[in-house]
Amino acid sequence: MMRRSAAWSWLAGLVQRPAGIGSALFILLLLVVALLGPAVLPRHPLALGDQPMLPPGGAYFLGTDDLGRSVVAELILGVRVSLAVGIVAALATTVVGLLVGAIAGYVGGLIDTVLMRIAEFFQVMPTFILAVAIIALAGPGLTRVIAVIALLSWPQTARLARGEVLRVGQLDFIAAVRSLGIPEWRILLGEVIPNAIGPVIALGMLIVGYAILLEASLGYLGLSSPAIVSWGRMLSVGQRYLFSAWWLSVFPGLAILATVLAFNLLGDALADLLSPRSTT
Amino acid sequence: MARYIGARLTWAAAMVLGIAIVAFLITHLLPGNPVDALVGDFPAPPEYVSKVRHLFGLDQPLPVQLWLYLVNMARGNLGFSFLSRQPVLSLVLARAGTTLLLMVPSLILASLIGVAMAVRAAASHGRMLDSALTAVSLIGYSIPVFWLGQILVVIFAVNLGWLPAEGIRSLREPGSGIGAVLDFLRHFALPAFCITVYYLAVVARVARSSMVEMLHQDFVLTARAKGLSERAVLWRHVLRNGLIPVITVIGYNFGYSLTGAILTETVFAWPGLGELFVTAIANRDYPVLSGIFLLAAIAVVLANLATDLLYAAVDPRVRIAAGGRA
């Protein structure tokens, strides 16, 4: 699998890209906040305060919402939802897409044609409308949201992975390995995929951002569980008070923008770093 | 060319059939029972429930229901809204125009701005404009479009009071003649800005890489060697060839732009498809939800088909290389 020296050279390359390393550090910070989360807050984050709709400044740094809850506390809780959905959905998407793409590219022939036609079919469907329809009819739930995102976004990964596997499969060293009599599935898993995975991982970062945006959009349309605080849901509440309480909309949106931007920047830096053209 | 068109048409028809099956399945396989939605929350006697089930054909086996659904669809019958009892097709078509009224000018604007920026950035080899393009694209991809709308409302409608926060025309003084047009434009400005930014992200990214790639092609060298001015090289040769991927991306992203329109409409209460969609979500209006999905997906297939055909018309290599998919 991945050799240590390769991992080090990735890291070294990332350090040379300020946007990449900056966004990686920011994401690390978000992960820490998500893990520690409520533990560092002075009181239970969803405790109802004495005064609803307090503007920022004063006792509550970013103000309070319509139920008197601290906006800061809600933002911190929201990190968990956004990161969990974004990362798990991207992971699932990448695994499915990588497997489908690798099989299509490596086996070729009829299987390749059929798999790529299915991918094309899924790519044509208006993902967001279908996701909303499914969640609206089946009911909210984070697992469901993750499943829907993975179900609808694997084709892009599959196409990329297929192209990479096709490219790597033609390289000389694969022929050399094959002449040693190693079974095909082990060549695919042990040699081809590890050498084809770079751009797929970079795309995975962009999918994290996309998944966070999609989850937020669902929350904004009121399609998230009322029991869970998420940034999208906060914006849905904010919409009702747009004329009286701007802080209910401004801060959760900034949080989404910063988080998604960080993943997109990291994805771009990784793509730059891991694309075959730049490494050889 | 005829063979290419035939192959694309067959594939498009297969896609529409597949999409119809998906639209059928989401309403018939997912948990949540349409009969509950029809009968309401009030505990209904079992006889009544079975009567409703029979009336709507829900007691038939699934394949039979699918067949009936497809036959009805072919006749233009997409069912009736549970909420308003209106035919779904006419509900959707009535709103589609209002959505397009918002979408199309924004898309054209975004394409023009994106391409113009890309050509100038490619021309100047300039860091500034190039960085600006990258930034626009990154932010456009990262910003929740509905939040952008909310911020615009807070700034321009609530605080400055320059523009209306919602709707498509003033209810009190809609005006007439040129006044009505101005009134419409005032309502149009903010949502159109949102969709333009949302879409500029896509166009800017593709246009930038396409124009830069074109600059390094041999024909550009030839054009320069012929002694053409840099301006002529750029706007005639680079732009024309660099536009092809841009057109493709605009056509292929019809579904993406529809998503942006739906979310933007929700912020500004623009009376288009988005509003119909959100009302249908709130009321679990199955036929309307699957109808919007179906028609949106068919629109995407048609947009892709048109793009492919346009592409083949512009670029002969495509139709020569292609028995089927280019």
Side-chain angles (χ1 to χ4, degrees):
Chain A
M1 305 308 288
M2 182 64 56
R3 276 180 220 100
R4 167 162 282 183
S5 60
W8 274 115
S9 76
W10 282 24
L11 206 60
L14 198 59
V15 172
Q16 285 160 9
R17 289 167 176 78
I21 195 74
S23 47
L25 289 176
F26 181 69
I27 290 167
L28 208 62
L29 177 73
L30 286 177
L31 281 170
V32 171
V33 169
L35 286 178
L36 293 178
V40 295
L41 290 171
R43 53 185 205 140
H44 191 276
L46 296 187
L48 302 184
D50 17 65
Q51 277 183 294
M53 301 301 217
L54 281 177
Y60 295 91
F61 182 52
L62 297 180
T64 59
D65 71 358
D66 54 334
L67 299 175
R69 302 184 295 200
S70 154
V71 171
V72 174
E74 287 186 285
L75 283 179
I76 288 175
L77 280 183
V79 178
R80 296 185 153 188
V81 176
S82 282
L83 284 190
V85 170
I87 292 172
V88 178
L91 211 59
T93 305
T94 304
V95 169
V96 174
L98 187 61
L99 280 179
V100 172
I103 291 171
Y106 200 68
V107 178
L110 186 66
I111 291 180
D112 181 26
T113 312
V114 171
L115 286 178
M116 285 303 107
R117 282 287 155 132
I118 295 174
E120 193 183 342
F121 177 72
F122 269 90
Q123 266 189 319
V124 163
M125 280 199 282
T127 316
F128 178 73
I129 296 177
L130 186 57
V132 169
I134 291 176
I135 299 297
L137 298 179
L142 292 185
T143 328
R144 233 171 247 164
V145 171
I146 290 168
V148 167
I149 294 174
L151 178 72
L152 297 176
S153 32
W154 62 268
Q156 204 188 353
T157 311
R159 291 187 151 210
L160 181 69
R162 174 179 176 270
E164 284 299 303
V165 165
L166 276 177
R167 182 184 63 80
V168 174
Q170 287 169 350
L171 298 179
D172 289 342
F173 84 94
I174 297 295
V177 172
R178 189 169 288 141
S179 69
L180 295 176
I182 292 172
E184 288 294 327
W185 65 270
R186 277 190 56 194
I187 301 177
L188 179 63
L189 287 180
E191 306 293 336
V192 177
I193 288 183
N195 283 289
I197 207 169
V200 175
I201 291 176
L203 178 63
M205 293 300 150
L206 304 186
I207 295 176
V208 175
Y210 171 77
I212 291 175
L213 277 182
L214 204 141
E215 192 276 330
S217 309
L218 289 172
Y220 172 69
L221 292 178
L223 289 171
S224 64
S225 160
I228 298 173
V229 175
S230 71
W231 293 340
R233 189 162 195 91
M234 291 172 78
L235 287 177
S236 160
V237 173
Q239 176 81 23
R240 270 183 268 152
Y241 301 105
L242 224 43
F243 283 81
S244 51
W246 54 269
W247 58 93
L248 296 186
S249 294
V250 168
F251 299 119
L254 274 180
I256 298 173
L257 174 61
T259 309
V260 176
L261 193 61
F263 278 103
N264 283 342
L265 280 171
L266 183 61
D268 282 351
L270 285 179
D272 193 23
L273 192 63
L274 303 180
S275 81
R277 264 161 278 154
S278 72
T279 47
T280 47
Chain B
M1 186 73 182
R3 193 159 153 243
Y4 176 72
I5 294 178
R8 295 313 297 157
L9 280 177
T10 314
W11 177 232
M15 298 271 248
V16 170
L17 182 66
I19 284 160
I21 294 174
V22 172
F24 171 81
L25 290 180
I26 53 175
T27 45
H28 286 78
L29 281 190
L30 286 178
N33 189 337
V35 177
D36 294 343
L38 269 175
V39 175
D41 288 336
F42 194 76
E47 306 90 68
Y48 179 66
V49 171
S50 66
K51 206 172 121 194
V52 171
R53 285 180 68 83
H54 182 71
L55 188 67
F56 286 89
L58 294 169
D59 52 351
Q60 308 262 22
L62 210 58
V64 177
Q65 290 189 46
L66 174 62
W67 175 246
L68 289 175
Y69 179 85
L70 292 177
V71 168
N72 277 325
M73 191 190 115
R75 290 181 184 146
N77 177 4
L78 299 182
F80 293 82
S81 159
F82 286 162
L83 193 66
S84 65
R85 312 276 160 176
Q86 303 277 318
V88 169
L89 187 64
S90 58
L91 273 177
V92 173
L93 290 183
R95 298 300 189 95
T98 321
T99 294
L100 289 178
L101 193 62
L102 183 61
M103 236 171 90
V104 173
S106 313
L107 294 190
I108 294 174
L109 203 62
S111 308
L112 291 179
I113 297 175
V115 169
M117 278 175 80
V119 173
R120 304 220 38 168
S124 59
H125 310 283
R127 291 271 169 85
M128 279 287 283
L129 202 57
D130 201 46
S131 310
L133 260 182
T134 313
V136 162
S137 176
L138 260 173
I139 290 176
Y141 268 119
S142 308
I143 204 167
V145 63
F146 50 93
W147 178 69
L148 178 63
Q150 291 182 322
I151 298 306
L152 292 176
V153 167
V154 168
I155 297 174
F156 292 100
V158 179
N159 282 319
L160 296 174
W162 290 353
L163 292 165
E166 57 179 34
I168 188 169
R169 66 171 71 87
S170 306
L171 294 176
R172 290 209 183 122
E173 300 158 19
S176 57
I178 194 84
V181 173
L182 284 177
D183 184 57
F184 168 78
L185 286 178
R186 279 163 46 81
H187 286 84
F188 173 78
L190 292 182
F193 180 82
C194 284
I195 301 181
T196 306
V197 168
Y198 179 79
Y199 213 63
L200 195 54
V202 182
V203 178
R205 182 167 260 210
V206 178
R208 176 174 171 266
S209 58
S210 168
M211 297 304 163
V212 169
E213 198 189 316
M214 283 307 144
L215 270 183
H216 297 294
Q217 298 288 321
D218 288 342
F219 68 81
V220 173
L221 200 65
T222 314
R224 284 199 183 123
K226 280 196 307 188
L228 286 185
S229 72
E230 194 61 24
R231 174 178 282 261
V233 170
L234 267 180
W235 292 97
R236 214 174 298 153
H237 293 263
V238 173
L239 178 64
R240 184 181 286 178
N241 288 285
L243 266 183
I244 294 177
V246 179
I247 292 174
T248 313
V249 113
I250 292 170
Y252 272 159
N253 280 283
F254 186 78
Y256 178 80
S257 49
L258 204 59
T259 301
I262 282 180
L263 286 168
T264 307
E265 283 182 7
T266 310
V267 180
F268 295 96
W270 187 268
L273 278 178
E275 200 191 30
L276 184 68
F277 194 52
V278 171
T279 317
I281 293 168
N283 296 290
R284 295 173 71 79
D285 199 341
Y286 286 57
V288 173
L289 279 178
S290 80
I292 291 177
F293 164 70
L294 183 72
L295 292 171
I298 290 175
V300 172
V301 170
L302 291 179
N304 287 2
L305 182 67
T307 312
D308 281 342
L309 297 183
L310 193 68
Y311 200 117
V314 177
D315 189 343
R317 282 169 300 184
V318 175
R319 54 178 189 265
I320 292 167
R325 175 91 192 133

